[in-house]
Amino acid sequence: MQHFSIKTQNLLQKLHRTFKIVYKKCPQLFNMKNLEDIINKLSADRVQELSSRLGARGLTGSKIVSAIVNVCHFHSLINTLSPPELKLLKHIYSGHDGITLGELQKETAIELTDIENSISNLSNLLLVYVIKNRQLLNKRMDKIYCITEIFEFFKVSEISRLKSHMENITEALLQHHETSHDKKEIKYHEVLNFIASNGNLVNIEQLLDSDIKGADKVITEFQQKGMIKIHYVVSEKLNTLLSINQSEVLKVVLSLKKNELKKTSTSSNGFNSLINALHTYDIVSSSGIFLTKQDHFRKIDIKKIADYMMELTDSSGNPIDEETAAFFSMQILNILHVLWLEKDIGTVSLKNISGHIEDPVLLIKQLFSSISELKGRDEHFDNTVRIPGTESLKILLKTAEKLKISGYSQLHAAYTASSILSNISGGTSGSDIEELNRNFHEALTFLTILGLIDIEKGKFLITTQGEELIHLLRGKKKKLESTEKKKCIIINPDFNLMIDEREIDPRDLYVIQAFTDIVNRDTILQCAITKSSVINANKRGMDIEQFIDRLKTYAKNELPQNLEFLLEDWTNQTIRIDISKSILVYTSHSSFIDELSYSSLAKIIKKRIADNYMLIDKESIDDLVKFSKKFDVVLNVFEKND
């Protein structure tokens, strides 16, 4: 973008003001007409129809003119047009003033007769002015001009122009709130508050549906004062979008009380949602979960899971009930392809996450990837915590990273601007923007429950694990600061642990929680090392040595003498049974298996169970057949009732 000196900018502004004065006083110089020049030429029937389309019956004369230049009435008028009329109007007011009918036909691919009829109607509605070609009988040379007053405010916005505005909004919202906020409390008009509380982007229909009185006049006034930016986006219909200008947006957003949390609101979930998911896996794998004939999960199964849930708080700082937490855990496991239904029986397997189960940040990264795939997702596991798309989650997380700490409305407005810039808004209709607002709230709730965003004194801030996840999503690995680990765990002789959560790294706490049962969570987290908790962690494939290492690192006192012995004993007591689908191969000559085991295909032998028998995977059959062609063999594949 080209930058001019302040002197040049002032000169351009003077030229622009001079042009507008001449333009308004002498529109004939530009072949345009004022509304007042042509209003008196309309018949009474035309005036009545125009008044009705403006959404204000009974208007005449100068009141018609005032209504047309009113943002709300103009929006009503334009949305009574047919698709061809709207397409032509957009073309004429997009820098094609003085265009001929022939040129319109060529550029819009609309039939000439349809153009004539549409232009005639637009002219009757005082939206364009037609100058007939008197010298030729061919109407193709008739010229269509904009109306002066309408041309001054009706600037058809392409998405690029809306994005440019949102770039400015983003920059304004990233200013530090303490230096930007006036110390004395300022009260802004409820129209500005409405726009700010809805992400600083509303469709005018949303505003008109509100109970704000006189909104139409206020919008026009604020537009003229430069406080509101209006974008006219034409698709199948006209979408009139309102946004507070970059010079005012931060001040208005920071003055809002609506939607903001109380200073006493807090939320710090850590990795508790993942610990809940692990406990859910343990319960389903040992006790099962089943659907009733009514196609709902049995209440007794849900209660078993709910009883093991750690407390979670939502994006308002309010606790989530245990049943909702249970369904949230099942939903996470289902998205990760760990839990699914086979007919009416819940089935579990950790195979899909076995490589990340000991790293909570990598596990959440895998969750994000699985959300975008949405393969095999089962609605039986859905609950009141809705999960938006991965892009919405990424945008909100990156926005929170940039803002560092912010209130609800500031975060909401910055998210909306970033979504428009990232092309995920879907559209610009009222329903599209409402969906954008829903996505924000759902993403904020989801990220808060996952512990990627915390609440402190009513403000939102990204956590260290949230920052680490952003780096991973960018394909980088954040360099973790090597800070000294504080001794913050007291280990009692009965193997109860007293943990100060504020002093321990969330990753390390996740490992400790995975090997323990939660007894109480208040100011101090109380956990118990039990035989069942250790065996459950062992069943998941988690490394007991990592647990012992964390205890030694954070323990204020010596580990009980028999603790390590018991941990090893409990681990060794765990009976492991692996059931897999393998192919049994028999050969009459054991030398064939010997030859195979010394070849480059030795890896296809899963296990040699006798001289003449071995196990291979089903996928390895082709390799085995090719290898056997080196010998004189009689090959039978899946015969004799196999």
Side-chain angles (χ1 to χ4, degrees), residues 103-121:
E103 290 169 336
L104 272 176
Q105 182 189 20
K106 183 178 179 181
E107 295 178 17
T108 62
I110 300 175
E111 293 293 332
L112 186 60
T113 53
D114 293 334
I115 291 178
E116 289 180 32
N117 293 332
S118 296
I119 292 298
S120 176
N121 192 39

Side-chain angles (χ1 to χ4, degrees), residues 324-553:
T324 300
F327 269 99
F328 183 76
S329 297
M330 291 193 295
Q331 189 176 20
I332 287 177
L333 293 177
N334 179 241
I335 293 171
L336 286 168
H337 312 300
V338 172
L339 170 63
W340 66 93
L341 286 171
E342 290 187 358
K343 294 184 178 180
D344 59 350
I345 302 173
T347 304
V348 289
S349 170
L350 290 173
K351 182 179 180 181
N352 198 51
I353 63 168
S354 59
H356 298 150
I357 195 169
E358 292 180 311
D359 190 324
V361 179
L362 286 178
L363 197 54
I364 293 177
K365 180 177 180 287
Q366 185 175 347
L367 176 64
F368 273 45
S369 300
S370 299
I371 289 171
S372 63
E373 294 171 5
L374 290 180
K375 292 178 182 176
R377 187 166 169 179
D378 195 320
E379 292 181 358
H380 286 95
F381 300 105
D382 289 350
N383 73 111
T384 53
V385 180
R386 293 179 57 83
I387 302 177
T390 307
E391 284 306 310
S392 294
L393 296 172
K394 290 179 181 178
I395 286 173
L396 182 54
L397 202 57
K398 291 174 183 177
T399 302
E401 179 194 33
K402 291 176 182 176
L403 288 175
K404 303 301 181 187
I405 183 168
S406 63
Y408 182 93
S409 298
Q410 186 179 3
L411 185 60
H412 188 183
Y415 166 83
T416 300
S418 297
S419 297
I420 295 294
L421 292 171
S422 301
N423 296 317
I424 71 156
S425 60
T428 53
S429 67
S431 59
D432 291 327
I433 294 174
E434 286 174 2
E435 183 180 357
L436 193 62
N437 292 339
R438 280 195 302 273
N439 286 344
F440 166 73
H441 180 72
E442 290 169 2
L444 184 58
T445 299
F446 187 68
L447 295 177
T448 304
I449 294 174
L450 282 181
L452 303 175
I453 289 179
D454 276 357
I455 303 173
E456 286 186 8
K457 297 180 180 179
K459 300 295 183 182
F460 296 91
L461 66 156
I462 192 169
T463 60
T464 53
Q465 53 264 36
E467 290 178 337
E468 187 179 347
L469 178 62
I470 288 175
H471 280 74
L472 289 176
L473 293 172
R474 289 171 178 157
K476 302 176 182 178
K477 190 171 182 180
K478 185 182 179 184
K479 293 181 180 179
L480 300 175
E481 296 179 7
S482 56
T483 55
E484 184 181 351
K485 308 284 187 182
K486 293 185 179 180
K487 303 291 184 180
C488 57
I489 298 179
I490 297 174
I491 306 176
N492 295 325
D494 60 357
F495 300 164
N496 270 321
L497 309 180
M498 311 297 287
I499 306 173
D500 187 347
E501 292 183 77
R502 297 166 298 179
E503 302 295 341
I504 189 170
D505 186 288
R507 281 172 168 275
D508 296 331
L509 181 60
Y510 168 82
V511 173
I512 292 172
Q513 288 176 315
F515 279 87
T516 57
D517 289 331
I518 309 303
V519 177
N520 186 32
R521 189 187 185 215
D522 199 355
T523 307
I524 297 295
L525 176 64
Q526 186 178 354
C527 304
I529 305 173
T530 65
K531 182 178 180 179
S532 62
S533 67
V534 173
I535 290 175
N536 282 334
N538 193 25
K539 285 179 181 178
R540 303 183 208 119
M542 304 186 79
D543 186 0
I544 190 71
E545 293 301 324
Q546 286 200 33
F547 174 56
I548 296 172
D549 179 64
R550 300 304 192 284
L551 291 180
K552 290 179 177 179
T553 300

Side-chain angles (χ1 to χ4, degrees), residues 527-630:
C527 304
I529 305 173
T530 65
K531 182 178 180 179
S532 62
S533 67
V534 173
I535 290 175
N536 282 334
N538 193 25
K539 285 179 181 178
R540 303 183 208 119
M542 304 186 79
D543 186 0
I544 190 71
E545 293 301 324
Q546 286 200 33
F547 174 56
I548 296 172
D549 179 64
R550 300 304 192 284
L551 291 180
K552 290 179 177 179
T553 300
Y554 288 99
K556 286 185 175 182
N557 55 331
E558 292 291 328
L559 271 64
Q561 291 182 352
N562 60 338
L563 177 59
E564 287 191 61
F565 170 78
L566 280 175
L567 290 176
E568 184 178 352
D569 185 47
W570 291 339
T571 302
N572 292 335
Q573 285 181 28
T574 305
I575 300 173
R576 294 186 176 276
I577 301 175
D578 294 325
I579 302 175
S580 59
K581 295 178 181 179
S582 299
I583 304 297
L584 177 64
V585 179
Y586 165 76
T587 174
S588 58
H589 292 63
S590 61
S591 58
F592 176 80
I593 300 178
D594 294 336
E595 291 285 345
L596 179 62
S597 63
Y598 293 123
S599 72
S600 60
L601 293 176
K603 62 183 180 182
I604 73 173
I605 303 174
K606 289 188 68 177
K607 189 170 184 65
R608 186 169 185 171
I609 56 178
D611 288 343
N612 300 76
Y613 290 88
M614 65 178 174
L615 297 176
I616 66 168
D617 286 326
K618 186 177 180 180
E619 293 77 15
S620 303
I621 292 177
D622 288 342
D623 291 331
L624 182 63
V625 171
K626 290 177 183 177
F627 181 80
S628 67
K629 290 180 180 179
K630 298 178 181 180

Side-chain angles (χ1 to χ4, degrees), residues 196-208:
S197 64
N198 283 278
N200 192 39
L201 185 69
V202 299
N203 188 294
I204 199 169
E205 292 175 357
Q206 294 174 273
L207 184 57
L208 295 177

Side-chain angles (χ1 to χ4, degrees), residues 18-31:
T18 303
F19 173 79
K20 286 183 71 176
I21 294 170
V22 175
Y23 188 63
K24 192 169 184 179
K25 297 290 184 182
C26 308
Q28 64 275 14
L29 295 177
F30 305 93
N31 285 320

Side-chain angles (χ1 to χ4, degrees), residues 118-347:
S118 296
I119 292 298
S120 176
N121 192 39
L122 292 175
S123 178
N124 290 331
L125 294 174
L126 306 186
L127 294 173
V128 298
Y129 182 76
V130 182
I131 295 182
K132 299 286 185 180
N133 176 32
R134 300 299 182 185
Q135 296 179 348
L136 298 173
L137 295 176
N138 191 346
K139 293 182 179 180
R140 294 173 62 87
M141 297 304 293
D142 290 353
K143 286 192 173 184
I144 298 89
Y145 291 92
C146 302
I147 301 298
T148 306
E149 292 91 336
I150 296 175
F151 186 80
E152 288 181 3
F153 71 86
F154 183 50
K155 310 295 183 186
V156 180
S157 292
E158 300 298 335
I159 294 298
S160 59
R161 186 178 296 180
L162 178 60
K163 285 185 175 182
S164 177
H165 172 67
M166 286 302 168
E167 283 181 0
N168 295 332
I169 292 298
T170 301
E171 186 177 340
L173 289 169
L174 291 178
Q175 299 299 315
H176 197 277
H177 67 281
E178 289 183 2
T179 58
S180 303
H181 194 15
D182 200 329
K183 288 184 179 179
K184 68 175 184 178
E185 190 173 312
I186 303 174
K187 290 186 177 181
Y188 288 93
H189 193 280
E190 53 188 333
V191 166
L192 295 176
N193 290 339
F194 181 87
I195 297 172
S197 64
N198 283 278
N200 192 39
L201 185 69
V202 299
N203 188 294
I204 199 169
E205 292 175 357
Q206 294 174 273
L207 184 57
L208 295 177
D209 288 340
S210 70
D211 56 358
I212 300 175
K213 295 180 180 179
D216 57 336
K217 294 179 181 178
V218 173
I219 293 170
T220 304
E221 177 190 343
F222 285 165
Q223 181 195 23
Q224 293 170 350
K225 289 181 178 179
M227 298 178 72
I228 287 179
K229 185 82 172 177
I230 299 182
H231 297 273
Y232 296 98
V233 181
V234 178
S235 52
E236 295 178 357
K237 58 177 284 187
L238 174 66
N239 290 309
T240 304
L241 306 180
L242 311 177
S243 178
I244 302 170
N245 234 329
Q246 61 262 35
S247 59
E248 301 292 329
V249 62
L250 187 61
K251 291 182 285 186
V252 179
V253 163
L254 293 175
S255 73
L256 282 177
K257 301 297 180 188
K258 183 182 178 181
N259 298 333
E260 297 301 320
L261 303 184
K262 295 178 181 179
K263 289 186 177 180
T264 54
S265 299
T266 60
S267 177
S268 181
N269 289 313
F271 291 117
N272 291 345
S273 59
L274 295 184
I275 294 297
N276 284 348
L278 295 182
H279 288 161
T280 301
Y281 166 81
D282 297 337
I283 294 164
V284 175
S285 63
S286 60
S287 303
I289 187 169
F290 306 90
L291 289 176
T292 64
K293 291 181 179 179
Q294 290 74 34
D295 205 34
H296 299 298
F297 288 113
R298 297 191 312 178
K299 290 183 178 179
I300 189 172
D301 296 334
I302 299 300
K303 188 177 186 309
K304 283 181 183 177
I305 298 172
D307 288 344
Y308 273 84
M309 294 296 97
M310 292 188 65
E311 182 180 291
L312 298 171
T313 48
D314 61 17
S315 56
S316 298
N318 298 322
I320 295 171
D321 66 83
E322 292 171 343
E323 186 172 317
T324 300
F327 269 99
F328 183 76
S329 297
M330 291 193 295
Q331 189 176 20
I332 287 177
L333 293 177
N334 179 241
I335 293 171
L336 286 168
H337 312 300
V338 172
L339 170 63
W340 66 93
L341 286 171
E342 290 187 358
K343 294 184 178 180
D344 59 350
I345 302 173
T347 304

